[in-house]
Amino acid sequence: MLIKFLLSRQNALEPHMSKDTLEYHWGKHHRAYVENLNKQIVGTELDGMSLEDVIIVSYNKGNMLPPFNNAAQAWNHEFFWESMKPGGGGKPSGELLELIERDFGSFDRFLEEFKSAAATQFGSGWAWLAYKANRLNVDNAVNPFPSEKDKKLVVVKSPNAVNPLVWDYSPLLTIDVWEHAYFLDFENRRPNYISVFMDKLVSWEVVSKRLEIAKARATKREMEEERRKKEEEEENSEDEAVEVYVDGDESESE
Amino acid sequence: MGSVTCNPLAPPSTHLLLNPSKIPKFCHSRRQLHGSQRASKIIAYYGLKTPPYKLDALEPYMSKRTLEVHWGELHRGYVEGLNKHLAKDDVLYGYTLDELVKVSYNSGNPLPVFNNAVQVWNHDFFWESMQPGGGDIPKYGVLEQIEKDFGSFTNFKEKFIGAALTLFGSGYVWLVLKREERRLAVVKTSNAINPLVWNDIPIISLDMWEHAYYLDYKNDKGTYANVFMNHLVSWNAAMSRMARAEAFVNLGEPKIPIA
């Protein structure tokens, strides 16, 4: 909520992200996505759903329905604004830093990977730091033998409006690399924009908080799956009426 | 021993490879600056083609600054990227740029060189699709064909601008001559895809990557697309491309339905 108030004072992120950029990026691009989405879903079954649900449903496993672009972009931009703050940057701390060091080797290696993903996303898109709980490296597959090692942080990049929610990851941080995000301030110099974002704008507090939520959600899911499995087992063991075919029956009919 | 050639562009002769110390001293100064101390390498490369007009010639519809960044930095960057790929892989040397685009597209599983190669092609084509004092309407054969395939020029223009407005993300809008169907069509493509990969013949293109219009029009794609149609598009270029295309596609034959 605070970031929204700050954004309405559009010079909040100067000099790293100009007032002009915010005026257009937030005031025109983001606003258009929200307005067009509302127009698209009014009166349909998507109308009452949460934004995240609208995204998953309209992603339709890759065969996107019309509201997807607007829904995903509305979510992505909100997530993006909240990932920044005036006087941001620096390094993370606490559990987030521990996990980064565990999964990438060091904070610098993570930084390299993230910056490289952002710089090499061809065309429009986003780069993400995400928490991947127990998923195999094949995106939507469920890991049959989950272990603590599978729960890790990853850097991913996505084209156009796609975001890691559709792969069932928990996004923690994003950078918008559509050209409209940096062209007014940096023209074609995307790597400079990425560096300024990481050095001066990232809000590590928000990222840490998102990590907590992601881990809690993963744990809750695991417990629910355990519970569901136990229930299924109990149901199966109650089933006594199983037909057993014995050779003896056949010889009787001869 | 035979004579040692000192031409850096000549194929490496074997005794140069075996006896680098036998290279006469005066050859060193003519060696390419790519750091190789041994036999000369053949280097082929693409150059950055300048647009057929000065960088401020498209004002006020496309600013000099846009041209400086779009051509001078982005397009140049693609050329340099392409040359870096060529330096690594001499198999790619033998192709013309058109062929390189089709080959590296690799039926939808593009090779690493594809993005750079096709973007060089796309931008060369885009600059030439515009001219100072452009716009207006085409004449003669091009106009006839447009009226035949779209009903009217206005209808074509609507379709073209409509495609520009509904393209999501980065990409291009094309007026293309379809080889199989032997007719013109408006096509929009994502990122760097080019109708050559479908064996069609591009006639005009409009770059809808944000870098093409953001400095001048910010988020106003509609005005950009309209300005392109009304003031920038080069129907002269379209005419010469159509003329060439007609050598490959017979537009005069009647469409005989197959029973």
Side-chain angles (χ1 to χ4, degrees):
Chain A
M1 281 301 139
L2 177 63
I3 192 68
K4 291 205 178 112
F5 166 71
L6 287 176
L7 283 176
S8 60
R9 293 166 50 240
Q10 280 156 1
N11 55 359
L13 299 174
E14 295 257 9
H16 312 298
M17 188 175 278
S18 67
K19 172 169 184 282
D20 268 355
T21 295
L22 282 184
E23 196 184 312
Y24 281 94
H25 198 178
W26 179 68
K28 305 243 162 113
H29 288 272
H30 187 179
R31 191 185 301 275
Y33 290 129
V34 173
E35 286 174 0
N36 290 337
L37 174 65
N38 289 334
K39 279 190 217 142
Q40 272 178 316
I41 65 175
V42 74
T44 70
E45 57 188 10
L46 297 171
D47 207 350
M49 297 166 75
S50 74
L51 188 54
E52 295 193 7
D53 287 339
V54 173
I55 292 174
I56 307 286
V57 166
S58 58
Y59 181 66
N60 199 20
K61 306 211 172 118
N63 192 5
M64 279 91 99
L65 305 174
F68 176 74
N69 284 338
N70 287 318
Q73 284 291 76
W75 191 96
N76 294 341
H77 282 89
E78 179 125 3
F79 195 80
F80 177 55
W81 303 129
E82 287 170 5
S83 302
M84 296 190 284
K85 67 170 194 190
K91 278 175 76 151
S93 58
E95 198 181 3
L96 177 59
L97 184 59
E98 271 175 40
L99 279 186
I100 287 181
E101 288 178 341
R102 184 194 76 176
D103 294 328
F104 294 97
S106 68
F107 178 70
D108 286 330
R109 293 265 298 275
F110 151 72
L111 209 56
E112 246 180 69
E113 209 179 307
F114 187 81
K115 286 188 183 180
S116 161
T120 55
Q121 172 55 34
F122 187 70
S124 308
W126 305 76
W128 307 82
L129 171 64
Y131 180 70
K132 192 175 83 144
N134 277 329
R135 305 288 153 191
L136 288 174
N137 275 323
V138 260
D139 294 348
N140 288 334
V142 175
N143 188 342
F145 299 114
S147 77
E148 278 304 303
K149 275 197 304 149
D150 297 323
K151 293 190 197 155
K152 55 183 186 161
L153 297 176
V154 290
V155 163
V156 287
K157 58 188 182 191
S158 61
N160 290 358
V162 178
N163 69 36
L165 290 177
V166 308
W167 307 319
D168 210 11
Y169 294 1
S170 302
L172 301 177
L173 171 65
T174 190
I175 179 171
D176 187 350
V177 290
W178 280 62
E179 285 166 332
H180 64 233
Y182 60 89
F183 222 73
L184 293 179
D185 296 338
F186 296 92
E187 287 172 339
N188 63 312
R189 296 180 295 280
R190 199 195 281 189
N192 293 18
Y193 159 65
I194 298 169
S195 292
V196 165
F197 177 83
M198 292 311 284
D199 294 339
K200 302 279 192 331
L201 288 171
V202 171
S203 167
W204 289 114
E205 292 85 27
V206 169
V207 180
S208 289
K209 191 166 281 146
R210 288 167 175 165
L211 177 63
E212 268 178 53
I213 297 176
K215 291 183 79 174
R217 197 171 74 129
T219 316
K220 187 164 152 228
R221 256 202 201 167
E222 269 173 23
M223 285 182 2
E224 276 182 24
E225 266 188 46
E226 286 283 320
R227 201 175 38 89
R228 205 176 36 84
K229 268 202 207 129
K230 270 215 192 90
E231 278 177 15
E232 266 184 37
E233 275 177 31
E234 283 171 21
E235 272 180 34
N236 285 342
S237 64
E238 283 169 13
D239 233 344
E240 296 292 6
V242 176
E243 295 234 337
V244 178
Y245 290 93
V246 177
D247 278 355
D249 290 336
E250 277 179 45
S251 58
E252 277 181 14
S253 56
E254 272 185 62
Chain B
M1 266 277 176
S3 58
V4 176
T5 66
C6 216
N7 181 355
L9 296 179
S13 44
T14 44
H15 62 239
L16 276 177
L17 283 168
L18 295 171
N19 295 304
S21 54
K22 295 271 187 199
I23 300 168
K25 269 255 159 61
F26 67 86
C27 280
H28 285 290
S29 56
R30 283 171 64 196
R31 214 149 281 289
Q32 300 287 346
L33 293 172
H34 54 272
S36 166
Q37 280 299 302
R38 280 190 208 109
S40 14
K41 261 171 68 171
I42 306 175
I43 295 180
Y45 53 86
Y46 287 90
L48 177 64
K49 206 167 163 192
T50 52
Y53 38 77
K54 303 241 284 274
L55 295 187
D56 58 0
L58 300 179
E59 298 257 10
Y61 308 110
M62 190 175 275
S63 65
K64 179 169 185 234
R65 186 61 197 154
T66 294
L67 266 291
E68 279 173 355
V69 174
H70 195 178
W71 173 76
E73 300 191 34
L74 285 164
H75 187 180
R76 190 186 302 273
Y78 290 126
V79 171
E80 287 171 2
L82 173 59
N83 287 334
K84 283 210 193 90
H85 273 105
L86 292 183
K88 287 189 263 181
D89 185 354
D90 6 4
V91 173
L92 303 174
Y93 282 168
Y95 296 112
T96 62
L97 193 53
D98 280 36
E99 290 172 337
L100 184 55
V101 164
K102 293 190 206 182
V103 161
S104 60
Y105 180 67
N106 198 21
S107 310
N109 194 7
L111 307 174
V113 70
F114 177 72
N115 280 342
N116 284 309
V118 76
Q119 282 291 69
V120 172
W121 196 101
N122 288 338
H123 284 89
D124 285 342
F125 191 81
F126 177 55
W127 303 130
E128 289 166 9
S129 299
M130 296 189 289
Q131 65 173 80
D136 199 19
I137 63 169
K139 301 192 194 38
Y140 315 123
V142 174
L143 183 61
E144 272 174 38
Q145 192 65 35
I146 286 183
E147 287 178 340
K148 183 164 167 232
D149 293 330
F150 292 95
S152 69
F153 180 75
T154 320
N155 195 15
F156 151 71
K157 195 168 155 188
E158 253 176 56
K159 278 223 158 54
F160 194 89
I161 295 180
L165 292 176
T166 53
L167 172 64
F168 186 72
S170 306
Y172 292 82
V173 181
W174 308 84
L175 171 62
V176 73
L177 181 62
K178 288 192 159 286
R179 229 183 262 254
E180 287 283 312
E181 293 132 73
R182 285 187 265 129
R183 52 161 292 156
L184 289 173
V186 164
V187 159
K188 59 187 179 191
T189 59
S190 263
N191 288 0
I193 305 290
N194 176 319
L196 285 180
V197 307
W198 302 311
N199 209 20
D200 290 329
I201 304 176
I203 303 292
I204 286 286
S205 81
L206 171 58
D207 188 347
M208 289 304 296
W209 284 59
E210 285 172 328
H211 62 233
Y213 61 87
Y214 216 75
L215 294 179
D216 298 333
Y217 299 95
K218 307 231 178 46
N219 65 319
D220 194 352
K221 292 185 349 183
T223 305
Y224 169 60
N226 274 289
V227 159
F228 173 82
M229 266 292 142
N230 295 334
H231 299 287
L232 287 173
V233 65
S234 169
W235 289 116
N236 287 332
M239 271 199 283
S240 62
R241 289 160 180 171
M242 270 295 271
R244 183 177 178 274
E246 290 183 35
F248 299 92
V249 181
N250 190 337
L251 294 169
E253 261 177 33
K255 284 207 188 80
I256 301 168
I258 299 169

